[in-house]
Amino acid sequence: MRANARIFVVGLALAAGIAPAAADDELLKTQPFPEKQVPAQPPPPLSQKRETPPPAAPVPRTAEQGDPGMMGLPWPKSPEEASKTLSNLYAFLATTDDHRLGGEIGASIERLWRLSGGDTVNLLIDRAELFSSKNENDKALPLLDAAVDLAPDYAEAWSHRAYIEYRLNNYPAALGDLRRALALDPNHFRALDGMAKILTQMGEKKAALEAYDQLLKIHPNIEGAETARDELKKAVEGQGI
């Protein structure tokens, strides 16, 4: 019964009649979690990347020549090449002390994450993000339920569903999905960022501090993480933990 419902949801999403368009890569990034959750209306403050609805078109699989975030590496043409490219970019990301370059590398990594999802699952994610941008999270959730059912080994699907669970104030479910994402990709810095923020809001300061420490090892230039980590560290040390 549940499988039939998922298939129905997928059919609705694919039948939406969205014509393929040239996607804006900046809008294909995994969505960062906002610092604070605001109940009901208005929706929680979003990052500048979340203010514009994501495009519905699949990620273009073309070369990213000239993209500074690729560090001179060619756009991968196969899953094997994508895995190797990601490994190299994670190494660059962890060692650069240039804040701007770190952001560009992180953006390239987020585009590469999308390659393993497949067009159907990425379309479901994009449709869910469109609903989320309108604060219609109850409509977004079934699409992401279908996405994780179709691609249980795709970290992005779990990460995106975690964000919707978070916006619906279901923190335990969001944390569970983030842990699934990190089990699939321990370097998924968006999942770690979300986990750290949720744990902070739940008052789990020591666990949140550990998440921030891990996050900053992977992406030392991610926006706001160092400040949040330092504040948590003072709070935790003040508690004598």
Side-chain angles (χ1 to χ4, degrees), residues 32-38 44-47 166 171 193 196-198 200-201 212 223-225 228 231:
F33 284 63
E35 290 290 346
K36 295 181 180 179
Q37 170 73 354
V38 179
L46 309 179
S47 74
Y166 167 79
Y171 290 178
D193 182 50
K197 288 174 179 174
I198 291 175
T200 299
Q201 292 186 36
Y212 272 123
E223 197 69 34
E231 291 177 354

Side-chain angles (χ1 to χ4, degrees), residues 75-220:
W75 190 252
K77 298 178 181 179
S78 68
E80 293 75 18
E81 287 184 10
S83 178
K84 184 176 180 180
T85 300
L86 274 171
S87 295
N88 288 331
L89 289 180
Y90 279 134
F92 286 124
L93 185 69
T95 55
T96 184
D97 56 3
D98 185 315
H99 184 80
R100 181 185 179 88
L101 180 58
E104 290 170 341
I105 296 170
S108 292
I109 289 172
E110 292 183 60
R111 288 194 288 274
L112 285 167
W113 284 341
R114 301 268 301 196
L115 292 183
S116 63
D119 293 346
T120 299
V121 174
N122 282 332
L123 177 58
L124 287 169
I125 290 174
D126 290 336
R127 293 285 291 166
E129 291 302 326
L130 184 60
F131 281 124
S132 178
S133 72
K134 300 175 183 178
N135 202 35
E136 296 177 342
N137 298 298
D138 56 329
K139 295 180 181 179
L141 187 58
L143 296 172
L144 293 168
D145 287 343
V148 298
D149 281 352
L150 286 171
D153 295 330
Y154 185 33
E156 278 290 82
W158 294 102
S159 180
H160 279 264
R161 193 174 75 167
Y163 180 82
I164 300 303
E165 294 280 14
Y166 167 79
R167 294 197 66 179
L168 291 169
N169 296 315
N170 193 347
Y171 290 178
L175 285 174
D177 282 356
L178 292 173
R179 291 188 176 101
R180 290 291 296 268
L182 288 166
L184 292 165
D185 182 0
N187 291 308
H188 199 297
F189 48 82
R190 288 299 181 195
L192 271 169
D193 182 50
M195 179 175 288
K197 288 174 179 174
I198 291 175
L199 288 169
T200 299
Q201 292 186 36
M202 293 176 67
E204 300 289 342
K205 295 181 179 179
K206 186 176 181 181
L209 180 59
E210 291 173 354
Y212 272 123
D213 283 340
Q214 182 61 25
L215 171 62
L216 288 165
K217 290 178 183 177
I218 296 166
H219 192 342

